[in-house]
Amino acid sequence: MVAALELYLDPDATRRIRVLWDALEAEGVQSMRSLLEQRHRPHVSLAVAPRFDPEQVAAALRGTVVAAPLRLDFQHAGQFVGRVLWLGPTVTPELLAHHRLVHDRLAAAGITLVEHYQPGRWVPHCTLSMRVPNALMAAAVRRCLEVLPVAATVVGAALTDHARGIAHPLP
């Protein structure tokens, strides 16, 4: 398991993504709803690491509004290697600048992040399923296209490590 710095979405966008999770489950695709005893919340991860020390992260980000009220317009579905299905927001200069600010503050504090979450490599996304069976991918993507676009605003942030039971809210 990994730790993540998660950006949470407004209630309407969260509801729409949870409805999509249900639609994927109805197609036979295990969605994020099924994971972690249904404690998973729709989000976009800004940073991921094998482990985070909550106090070290809080100190590194002191004075930074991690939950900046960014507008996220989810316009497309995507797939990572390993059959991970996700919704992607349109990348904006504001989103990239916010990501770089958070990353730079963490890096300056000596906090090492997973390479794929570093500026220039990061693909902002909201994960829908960690393993879509190949035979169900077309149906899963069709379900995604039925709900797009999804407009969202960031309304919260937290440092999470579900394996260790950590959910530390951030400003």
Side-chain angles (χ1 to χ4, degrees), residues 2-171:
V2 296
L5 195 157
E6 300 175 349
L7 296 178
Y8 298 124
L9 311 176
D10 65 82
D12 185 58
T14 296
R15 179 191 59 75
R16 291 186 65 199
I17 290 170
R18 287 185 173 174
V19 167
L20 177 54
W21 286 350
D22 290 341
L24 291 171
E25 296 274 348
E27 294 286 348
V29 174
Q30 183 184 38
S31 75
M32 299 306 287
R33 178 184 295 286
S34 300
L35 298 179
L36 305 169
E37 299 166 1
Q38 298 188 6
R39 290 179 288 135
H40 197 78
R41 183 173 171 182
H43 67 274
V44 173
S45 295
L46 276 182
V48 170
R51 284 188 100 125
F52 280 129
D53 177 311
E55 290 76 29
Q56 183 184 19
V57 170
L61 296 175
R62 194 171 333 266
T64 302
V65 178
V66 179
L70 296 167
R71 168 95 172 163
L72 302 177
D73 291 310
F74 292 90
Q75 296 284 338
H76 57 276
Q79 179 186 2
F80 291 131
V81 173
R83 303 184 318 271
V84 176
L85 181 66
W86 46 270
L87 294 182
T90 299
V91 177
T92 63
E94 296 81 12
L95 178 59
L96 291 177
H98 187 65
H99 174 256
R100 179 166 291 283
L101 170 68
V102 170
H103 177 272
D104 288 351
R105 298 285 304 266
L106 295 172
I111 299 169
T112 304
L113 303 176
V114 170
E115 185 177 344
H116 295 302
Y117 282 82
Q118 306 235 352
R121 304 233 25 219
W122 178 59
V123 177
H125 64 280
C126 177
T127 302
L128 302 172
S129 176
M130 296 299 288
R131 292 259 190 280
V132 179
N134 287 332
L136 299 178
M137 186 59 77
V141 169
R142 180 178 42 79
R143 289 295 190 163
C144 293
L145 297 177
E146 289 170 358
V147 303
L148 291 173
V150 175
T153 301
V154 173
V155 297
L159 180 67
T160 63
D161 185 335
H162 298 291
R164 295 170 47 203
I166 295 172
H168 183 79
L170 295 168

